[in-house]
Amino acid sequence: MRPSGRQLNEMRPVSIETGVTMHAEGSCMIKCGNTHVLCTATIDERVPPFMRNSGQGWVTAEYGMLPRSTSSRMRREASQGKQGGRTIEIQRLIGRALRAGVDRQALGERQITIDCDVIQADGGTRCASITGGWVALRLAVNKLLKSGALVSDPLISNVAAVSCGLYAGQPVLDLDYPEDSEAGVDGNFIMLANGQLVETQMSAEGATYSRAQMDDLLDLAQKGIAELVAAQNAAVA
Amino acid sequence: MRPSGRQLNEMRPVSIETGVTMHAEGSCMIKCGNTHVLCTATIDERVPPFMRNSGQGWVTAEYGMLPRSTSSRMRREASQGKQGGRTIEIQRLIGRALRAGVDRQALGERQITIDCDVIQADGGTRCASITGGWVALRLAVNKLLKSGALVSDPLISNVAAVSCGLYAGQPVLDLDYPEDSEAGVDGNFIMLANGQLVETQMSAEGATYSRAQMDDLLDLAQKGIAELVAAQNAAVA
Amino acid sequence: MRPSGRQLNEMRPVSIETGVTMHAEGSCMIKCGNTHVLCTATIDERVPPFMRNSGQGWVTAEYGMLPRSTSSRMRREASQGKQGGRTIEIQRLIGRALRAGVDRQALGERQITIDCDVIQADGGTRCASITGGWVALRLAVNKLLKSGALVSDPLISNVAAVSCGLYAGQPVLDLDYPEDSEAGVDGNFIMLANGQLVETQMSAEGATYSRAQMDDLLDLAQKGIAELVAAQNAAVA
Amino acid sequence: MRPSGRQLNEMRPVSIETGVTMHAEGSCMIKCGNTHVLCTATIDERVPPFMRNSGQGWVTAEYGMLPRSTSSRMRREASQGKQGGRTIEIQRLIGRALRAGVDRQALGERQITIDCDVIQADGGTRCASITGGWVALRLAVNKLLKSGALVSDPLISNVAAVSCGLYAGQPVLDLDYPEDSEAGVDGNFIMLANGQLVETQMSAEGATYSRAQMDDLLDLAQKGIAELVAAQNAAVA
Amino acid sequence: MRPSGRQLNEMRPVSIETGVTMHAEGSCMIKCGNTHVLCTATIDERVPPFMRNSGQGWVTAEYGMLPRSTSSRMRREASQGKQGGRTIEIQRLIGRALRAGVDRQALGERQITIDCDVIQADGGTRCASITGGWVALRLAVNKLLKSGALVSDPLISNVAAVSCGLYAGQPVLDLDYPEDSEAGVDGNFIMLANGQLVETQMSAEGATYSRAQMDDLLDLAQKGIAELVAAQNAAVA
Amino acid sequence: MRPSGRQLNEMRPVSIETGVTMHAEGSCMIKCGNTHVLCTATIDERVPPFMRNSGQGWVTAEYGMLPRSTSSRMRREASQGKQGGRTIEIQRLIGRALRAGVDRQALGERQITIDCDVIQADGGTRCASITGGWVALRLAVNKLLKSGALVSDPLISNVAAVSCGLYAGQPVLDLDYPEDSEAGVDGNFIMLANGQLVETQMSAEGATYSRAQMDDLLDLAQKGIAELVAAQNAAVA
């Protein structure tokens, strides 16, 4: 029934390759099917002004899409003179999600910036950015631990994200672009490794949903998140 | 236990005054406790370019805060040269939410713009904007029906929104600013009059939540939405 | 002869309600007929860089119009990415006018920002902003005097403003929008309570005027200012 | 008493050299003492959108200062990404003033843009721009008359401008920078050749003025305008 | 003598992988040592306004660097609200260079946009962009030829680019970042396959060069270009 | 054969008038035929942040064109909200070129900004800006030497620039606009007084060039530069 022939509760193949750029303190290329996102982590020994002298660190994120990551070419945001509303919404989400897995006191007064740049898009780029962004973060923190700059691990859990939605009336896991563009209801679910929720964003365009349908999607999401956490752990092992 | 002395499941007093500006096709001032938002609806007989010749209408929204609607003065976005990420996120949400209650085919090729301007803020401005924005929309559509420009009603349901969160470990309904700034988990719930969900946004900062807690908040939200829908209906009667 | 049926030298009804927002140090809603402006005063214990270590205070103003304050909806300046020329001209005028009534040495090194936001427009918004802005300023200064932060009053006089113009060949006082859009010559007159002039702006579009006509308008303005000063004093009493 | 040794009612030497650039349809370099402004007129056979199909023409102006036209270097507005409030105010004034001398019906549906670029500033740049701008306009219109594009002259009068102010308690004509920076009250007066007023802008910073003082300045202005009109006529003869 | 141990006239290893993104009409990842640039070609069947009805096509380019392509993180141009001077200079150069190899009449009225996004930077990104950009262009044109949209080949030659400079007093070929940051004189040389020059940019910072030195660098460049053209041809074969 | 009737190796008449503005530390109006550029030098006793505590000075440049310096009116960059790519490219070039003639250690920690504003354009404005900019720089440095702020001269050589190109198949010196708009190949050559090269920019649009042709143009450039250096020396003598 799904355009890709997948089962309703079947994820796309996930691969996470680490160490893909020579300059970043942590990096990976995450591929969820045909969605490919390059995630890098940059450590800065200063925090932004609103965090100074708080004794706490900060994790933030930026998101971008290459102009031809999409089916038809998008105008480059740099040449349009501003980041669009969608970009801003997504990068705020990525930062907020990753901070949920961090003990900012233990991180100390430093900032880690996660850059998520979409090389190729086929639906679910924000979820891939969070899942891959956590891997880049993990690698950067490992570097701080190895160098002795940090003595205890500030990461309290994996953070991963997956989308689910109602496609042709059925709850499906991990929507690709053909599904995403048809689904009237879809959600992004962000969880820790133990299934605790970090963020739920379910929205409808030209449709609504019941609490029972919401529960179905949450069940699917939990299954997907478990698989993503396993992939993250394998990548950073 | 709540700073305001309210019960856990008690809303702030809601008042909705209609017809508050002479120029707009629909308008109201909604007051949810000390949060006051002026909502106006503008009818434009043209749709934006991406909707032309679709036979469908469009509903969109813009949101702003007056500089001194808040405890300390905020810089005016017009003088900063751009709308911040939070503003853009909120106005996209308001538009998406209101469209869920509209049969866009029945609306015909016209656009209704809902402007939500916060006169005084004390938490929950986006929810008040949606609830009040629907009233402005209803009044503008009534005008089209009365003039004969529309013959059947394109509004399929009320749309209302309320926030809930975990405050001091307890689920509470309709957070005011002192609660909102303390709550580690809070959500915005948007529903139709019949309780169908339009959007769920639950996020955590420095905390996480279980599915059971999420269910508690949804129960509270349903109670609140019912009261808001009653207030909307009384206002437009 | 006037569209509103007023006498040539008759003002619109003026009302000034104070204390209309809970956060600002001073606030009022001024209504000059159908022109409604919300004015707030914000005290900042720092002055802008160009005034530092001068021993003097500063009073500045910002001006905005809500998108649907006007007959047809105006684009929001925040979404256009800049304040238009008219906005900038008006807010510079408001600040300059209010400073004329202030002993900046006596104010001490602090800044008071007056925000004037037009809720509903029907001509004369800049004059209403100055007249109402002074009330907000007066209330904020009263607060400083009451708290002991100031021991002597830095306000040396009321400041008020009114427009006059040549409508259908006759000098008229306090133009509303239907008059304003027809008048070839119109002026804004700003005065202290004793009739001393602070600013005169008379301009013509597609017309000119003689010194005798200018004198007629100044006579009208003096009458109007006296009434506005009385309304200000009643409001802050 | 004046820093320059001039009499109270004495203008600075004025020179207007025409035909100073090869491309413009009309041009002059106006020098009012040490204030030097290059004024050019460009004819465009189309009017801006808001004038289309009105049968009327339009005259508009733009104003700029070279970075080192002033005593200390000003940042280039092009590199700051916007024109400042002062620039916008001045160019709106120049356009409005020049239109007062034009029969826009007779001009026909074309636009003339006057560019005023300050090469060297020593006070009174906006007045010099108006006076010199009229000369550029006159020359461009002459070209249209000569070519037969226009058969009757759309210019109904010269337009000229001069500043006056209260310096050390005395009314003085044509302020230079040392006077301008000291004067608490100063005004710009724009008139036709016959002394009819086009615009009066009198403002005070840290001072006020009486109607008698205003009359004194108007007397001075009339004397100055007469001299400027003579200089304009000599230049275009 | 060179930090990398290379001979004076030795290029870094070059690899060009084609078909690296699923959406673009042509794409490659070019790696010149540690400099990695993703190049994509997008065909648009419309030309920009200035080329309409000319019967000729257009080739243009855009350039960007991922924030962490460099040793320390660069601010994202999209969030800074504009493309920097260096970016604009480079993308104008890439477009101009590639057009030199195109018969724009034969291309017909369509535009091909080459996006060059630097994934990892180690000197020479603009040269790699031109060399890789030509491969993407070649592949996109091949697609047009194969589909029959083009019947004769509009590409008249390969276009490739290489940098040379004076490092420690010696002329060296294909500077990497450690050399580039030390070299007082360096140049970018763009040529066709037959050695005809398209563009020469030799500049010095804190140094100068003689015509004899310029000739030495041109000799090196010719050797390098020949190798790059061979790599291009192998990649597209 | 040349539109102007000049010989292939004949420059346009050059004049350089110094001391043309009263405020700048150095200034000149350079006229290369009908191309007129006003160049001013501003001394700032602070360097930009990236040079602080380096013990070295900085020379930078900005470039602009008056709106009607060209045949048809150009939009003012200040009103467009940004400097175009061409402007940015040119001002970077001017700054880089002038720095080649400066011993920045000897200049000490101060910055000199060269503003080049094109009053009238007829081709070759960037070269005229460099040649005239050097004169302004020389005069400003002379002022520092005279005042004792500098004891040894930081200028190590004149810097001048000229354009050459292939026009109608022939190498020509100092292109005017009619030649420039036709030439398929043209270059800008910047040299010291002794003929050492500072920058070579040869580019082609719709054409290519051989090394032999490049040599011809370099020969012409050397002749032109020698004449420009003589004119510079005469002007500052």
Side-chain angles (χ1 to χ4, degrees), chain D residues 13-133:
Chain D
V14 178
S15 80
I16 305 176
E17 185 188 357
T18 60
V20 294
T21 75
M22 70 192 259
H23 297 302
E25 281 78 41
S27 71
C28 74
M29 176 72 84
I30 182 168
K31 300 187 178 178
C32 298
N34 284 321
T35 290
H36 303 176
V37 184
L38 178 64
C39 304
T40 61
T42 297
I43 299 170
D44 186 346
E45 292 293 327
R46 293 173 317 165
V47 286
F50 63 89
M51 290 300 298
R52 290 207 186 120
N53 303 316
S54 68
Q56 303 201 327
W58 192 245
V59 173
T60 188
E62 294 196 10
Y63 171 92
M65 299 185 83
L66 293 195
R68 199 56 200 284
S69 58
T70 44
S71 170
S72 58
R73 187 178 182 273
M74 291 168 37
R75 269 192 70 191
R76 203 174 276 269
E77 289 185 321
S79 79
Q80 292 189 89
K82 62 170 179 176
Q83 295 179 302
R86 180 183 168 277
T87 294
I88 290 171
E89 222 174 292
I90 291 176
Q91 66 194 16
R92 284 161 56 98
L93 173 66
I94 301 170
R96 205 162 58 228
L98 293 178
R99 284 193 296 276
V102 177
D103 175 343
R104 297 200 284 110
Q105 198 77 38
L107 179 57
E109 275 206 28
R110 53 174 62 83
Q111 173 168 276
I112 302 183
T113 300
I114 306 298
D115 283 290
C116 301
D117 286 273
V118 179
I119 304 298
Q120 188 174 283
D122 186 38
T125 62
R126 83 189 69 189
C127 290
S129 296
I130 291 166
T131 304

Side-chain angles (χ1 to χ4, degrees), chain A residues 144-187:
Chain A
L144 290 169
L145 288 164
K146 200 170 172 187
S147 72
L150 280 176
V151 287
S152 72
D153 187 358
L155 297 196
I156 56 189
S157 169
N158 293 45
V159 178
V162 76
S163 72
C164 303
L166 298 177
Y167 175 76
Q170 299 286 329
V172 297
L173 177 61
D174 189 24
L175 287 75
D176 54 29
Y177 181 76
E179 291 168 335
D180 195 34
S181 53
E182 291 292 318
V185 174
D186 72 276

Side-chain angles (χ1 to χ4, degrees), chain A residues 27-95:
Chain A
S27 71
C28 73
M29 175 73 84
I30 183 168
K31 299 186 179 178
C32 299
N34 284 321
T35 290
H36 302 177
V37 184
L38 178 63
C39 305
T40 61
T42 297
I43 299 170
D44 186 347
E45 292 295 325
R46 293 174 316 165
V47 286
F50 63 88
M51 292 298 298
R52 287 203 190 122
N53 303 317
S54 67
Q56 302 201 326
W58 191 245
V59 173
T60 190
E62 294 195 11
Y63 171 91
M65 297 184 85
L66 293 194
R68 199 56 200 283
S69 59
T70 44
S71 170
S72 57
R73 188 177 181 272
M74 291 168 38
R75 269 193 69 191
R76 204 173 274 270
E77 289 185 321
S79 78
Q80 294 189 85
K82 63 172 181 174
Q83 295 179 302
R86 179 183 169 275
T87 295
I88 291 171
E89 221 173 293
I90 290 176
Q91 64 194 16
R92 285 160 56 97
L93 173 67
I94 301 170

Side-chain angles (χ1 to χ4, degrees), chain D residues 25 68 73 76 115, chain F residues 25 68 73 76 115 120:
Chain D
E25 281 78 41
R68 199 56 200 284
R73 187 178 182 273
R76 203 174 276 269
D115 283 290
Chain F
E25 280 78 40
R68 199 56 202 281
R73 187 176 182 271
R76 204 174 274 271
D115 283 290
Q120 188 175 281

Side-chain angles (χ1 to χ4, degrees), chain B residues 21-25 34 38 40 42 62 66-71 73 76 78-79 81 83 113 115 117 120-121, chain C residues 21-25 34 38 40 42 62 66-71 73 76 78-79 81 83 113 115 117 120-121:
Chain B
T21 75
M22 70 192 259
H23 297 301
E25 281 77 42
N34 284 319
L38 178 63
T40 61
T42 296
E62 294 196 11
L66 293 195
R68 199 55 200 284
S69 59
T70 44
S71 170
R73 186 176 183 273
R76 202 174 277 268
S79 79
Q83 295 180 301
T113 301
D115 284 289
D117 286 274
Q120 188 174 280
Chain C
T21 75
M22 69 191 263
H23 297 301
E25 280 77 40
N34 284 321
L38 178 64
T40 61
T42 298
E62 294 195 11
L66 293 194
R68 200 52 202 284
S69 59
T70 44
S71 170
R73 186 176 183 273
R76 204 173 274 270
S79 78
Q83 295 179 302
T113 301
D115 283 291
D117 286 275
Q120 188 174 282

